Amino acid sequence: MSLPYTLLLHGLGGSGPTHWQNWLAGELAHHGGQVDLPQFTMPDAPQLDVWLAELREHLSAAPTSGDRVVVAHSLACLLWLHHAAGSFDPALRVDRVLLVAPPSPRFTGEPLISEFQAAPLDPTALRRAAVSTRLVVGEGDSYCTLEQGKELAEALRVDVDVIVGGAHLNVDAGYGSWGAILKWVRSGRTPLTPR
């Protein structure tokens, strides 16, 4: 089975060299997959309109044949919700999206992401942007409680996987390599499980 084209979207501050997104990019490339891990402009001081434009540039440049997969972490999950609710362009539609450790739309503890807050929770728009979308939340995430994560999944009408002890599903939580996410990219295998 051929690997899908995979677009990996980082959160606030980017994904450092030991983050699972970089590990995943390396694994996919090693097995011959096409992978794109862009660095958004000013990752430590994100601007929604800039990141949206850059996201759409990468989607426009993606191959048009074969499966197209997007894996977003943290702030990029809210970015994807804004993108989905924007003007619909069928050329930018992807097959599968995984939203990993999104900040709750009610989270107010980080002023740098305030422009991304109040992300549109529009399940119809989400289905226009991707054939299927799945949410993954970590137990103990300071940016999104389990209750908030489940509320978000319900509002978006998507399935949610809860990673026990996963926190923000980043390097600090021990997520450098993560075999389950590689399996999901390769085959859509669910539910997502801990590393």
Side-chain angles (χ1 to χ4, degrees):
M1 182 176 80
S2 62
L3 288 169
Y5 161 81
T6 307
L7 175 60
L8 303 172
L9 305 174
H10 68 74
L12 179 66
S15 292
T18 58
H19 191 282
W20 60 261
Q21 285 191 317
N22 279 294
W23 172 84
L24 180 59
E27 289 294 307
L28 293 169
H30 176 72
H31 290 96
Q34 289 183 282
V35 62
D36 186 3
L37 177 56
Q39 178 76 20
F40 289 119
T41 299
M42 298 188 339
D44 295 318
Q47 296 179 332
L48 179 58
D49 59 338
V50 173
W51 280 30
L52 272 173
E54 291 174 350
L55 166 59
R56 291 175 179 149
E57 284 172 18
H58 285 272
L59 288 170
S60 294
T64 55
S65 62
D67 284 349
R68 303 188 320 166
V69 170
V70 173
V71 181
H73 181 251
S74 192
L75 183 58
C77 299
L78 300 183
L79 173 68
W80 185 260
L81 296 178
H82 283 283
H83 160 72
S87 298
F88 177 62
D89 180 349
L92 303 185
R93 191 169 198 239
V94 299
D95 296 285
R96 290 184 286 132
V97 174
L98 192 64
L99 303 175
V100 180
S104 164
R106 297 195 311 258
F107 179 75
T108 58
E110 178 53 75
L112 290 171
I113 69 169
S114 61
E115 191 177 5
F116 291 73
Q117 293 301 111
L121 304 180
D122 184 343
T124 302
L126 207 60
R127 280 159 187 70
R128 280 196 312 259
V131 175
S132 70
T133 301
R134 189 169 195 90
L135 184 66
V136 182
V137 295
E139 175 192 43
D141 189 343
S142 58
Y143 297 96
C144 185
T145 67
L146 287 185
E147 180 183 349
Q148 291 167 339
K150 290 175 181 176
E151 287 172 1
L152 180 58
E154 187 175 314
L156 296 172
R157 293 189 213 138
V158 299
D159 289 329
V160 60
D161 296 317
V162 174
I163 306 296
V164 175
H168 196 51
L169 297 164
N170 56 9
V171 174
D172 290 344
Y175 283 81
S177 62
W178 189 4
I181 206 159
L182 176 60
K183 289 176 184 172
W184 182 86
V185 169
R186 294 177 94 162
S187 65
R189 183 172 171 181
T190 58
L192 271 288
T193 56
R195 58 189 183 287

